[in-house]
Amino acid sequence: VSPYVLVTPNETRRKQLQQSKLHFAKKELDDLERWKKEHQPGPIKLVPQRLGGKESEAQARQKQQMMLMQSKYQQKHKREEYVKAKKAAEEAEILKKKGIQREKAERLEVKKRQQEMQRREMLFEDQYYKTNELLNRLDLGLPKSDSCQIANRGPESTAWMRSHTYKQALREDENRRLEEMKQEQRRKAELMEFKQKQEEEARTRAHQNEQRRVNDAFLDRLQNKTQPNSSYQPGYSG
C-alpha cells in the first residue's frame, strides 16, 4: 500500500459552517412566513342574494331524486350492454373454434378418402398384375393359332385401358363425393349462421321491448309524482 497523509478536520471551521447553514435556513423560513402574511387573501364581501332559482325545496329534491334514478338506470343499461357484448364475444369465439374443428374434420375426412382411394388403386393394380400373370400362363399353354388370336386382340392393352378407365372413374366419383360434402358443409354453415342471426334479432327485439316497457313505467311513476292531482294516463311519456 502506498503511503498517505491523514489530515485532522478543523472543528472550529466545521461549527462555523453549520451555524451559517442554520442561519440561512432560518432566514429563508422567516422570509416565507412574511411573504405568506403579505399575500394572505382578504375577507370576501358579497351582496346577499336568494339562491336556488324559482324552484322550491321540494321541487329541487324531487329533481335530484329523478336524476339519481336516471343515473341508476343508465348504470344498469351500461351493465346490460357490457354483458351483451361479452356474450357476443364468447359466441364469436365459440363459432371460431367450431369452424376450426370443422376444417380439421374435413381435412381428416379428405385424407381418409385419399388413403382409401390409394388402397383401392393398390388392390386393383395387384389384381391387374395377377390377371396378367394368369393370362400369360394361359397364353403359354394354348395352341399357336389361339395364341396368335389373343396376341392380335391385345389383352394387356385392353386390361390397361380397363384399369385406366376404372381409376379415372374412381377419381371422378371421389371428387364428386368431396364436392357434395363441401356443399353440404357450406349449406349447414349458412343455415347455422341464419339461425344465429334470427336468434340475435329476437334477443335484440326482446331487449328493446323490455327497455321500452321499463322506460314507460319509469316515466309513468315520474308523471304521477310530479302531478299527483292530474288523472293517471298509462303510456304517457311527457
Side-chain angles (χ1 to χ4, degrees):
V1 179
S2 60
Y4 62 92
V5 179
L6 180 63
V7 179
T8 305
N10 192 348
E11 292 293 334
T12 305
R13 187 177 180 183
R14 184 178 181 183
K15 289 180 180 179
Q16 289 178 357
L17 289 173
Q18 289 179 352
Q19 288 178 0
S20 63
K21 288 181 179 178
L22 290 174
H23 177 70
F24 282 118
K26 185 177 179 182
K27 184 180 178 183
E28 289 180 354
L29 289 174
D30 293 339
D31 294 340
L32 179 61
E33 291 295 332
R34 187 172 59 255
W35 184 87
K36 286 183 178 179
K37 290 180 180 179
E38 291 176 356
H39 294 81
Q40 185 177 4
I44 300 175
K45 296 180 180 180
L46 295 175
V47 179
Q49 57 182 352
R50 185 180 178 83
L51 301 177
K54 298 181 181 180
E55 295 180 354
S56 62
E57 183 179 358
Q59 292 176 351
R61 290 184 180 278
Q62 186 177 2
K63 185 177 180 181
Q64 186 179 7
Q65 184 69 19
M66 184 175 64
M67 292 175 64
L68 180 62
M69 293 177 66
Q70 288 179 355
S71 65
K72 289 182 179 179
Y73 178 75
Q74 289 176 359
Q75 291 177 359
K76 181 181 178 182
H77 181 67
K78 286 182 180 179
R79 286 196 298 269
E80 291 177 354
E81 291 294 331
Y82 173 75
V83 172
K84 184 179 178 181
K86 185 177 179 181
K87 187 175 181 181
E90 291 177 354
E91 290 179 354
E93 187 68 21
I94 292 172
L95 289 177
K96 184 179 179 181
K97 291 180 180 179
K98 286 183 179 179
I100 294 172
Q101 294 295 331
R102 191 183 300 110
E103 291 179 358
K104 289 182 180 180
E106 289 178 357
R107 286 197 295 268
L108 183 62
E109 186 68 21
V110 171
K111 187 176 181 181
K112 287 182 179 180
R113 289 182 180 274
Q114 290 178 353
Q115 291 177 355
E116 181 67 21
M117 187 174 179
Q118 291 176 359
R119 187 179 66 81
R120 289 180 182 179
E121 289 179 355
M122 291 174 65
L123 291 174
F124 182 79
E125 290 177 357
D126 189 17
Q127 187 68 26
Y128 171 72
Y129 291 144
K130 289 181 180 180
T131 304
N132 284 337
E133 186 178 357
L134 179 62
L135 289 174
N136 291 330
R137 289 178 183 177
L138 292 174
D139 191 13
L140 291 174
L142 289 174
K144 194 154 181 104
S145 60
D146 294 340
S147 63
C148 292
Q149 291 177 2
I150 293 173
N152 291 330
R153 290 177 183 177
E156 294 181 359
S157 176
T158 305
W160 182 85
M161 288 296 295
R162 286 199 300 268
S163 174
H164 181 70
T165 304
Y166 179 70
K167 288 181 180 179
Q168 188 174 3
L170 283 177
R171 290 193 184 93
E172 291 177 355
D173 185 56
E174 188 68 21
N175 293 330
R176 181 178 58 78
R177 289 180 181 178
L178 289 175
E179 187 65 26
E180 290 178 355
M181 184 177 67
K182 288 181 180 179
Q183 291 179 359
E184 184 67 22
Q185 292 294 336
R186 194 179 299 111
R187 286 195 297 270
K188 288 181 180 179
E190 291 176 355
L191 182 60
M192 185 179 296
E193 185 178 0
F194 178 71
K195 288 183 179 179
Q196 289 176 354
K197 286 183 178 179
Q198 286 184 341
E199 292 176 356
E200 185 66 24
E201 290 177 356
R203 284 197 297 271
T204 303
R205 287 195 298 269
H207 179 70
Q208 290 177 355
N209 292 332
E210 180 65 19
Q211 185 177 2
R212 190 180 297 109
R213 186 185 65 79
V214 172
N215 290 337
D216 292 340
F218 174 72
L219 293 173
D220 290 339
R221 288 196 300 270
L222 289 179
Q223 182 67 22
N224 292 332
K225 288 181 179 180
T226 54
Q227 298 180 0
N229 296 325
S230 62
S231 59
Y232 175 69
Q233 296 178 1
Y236 177 72
S237 61

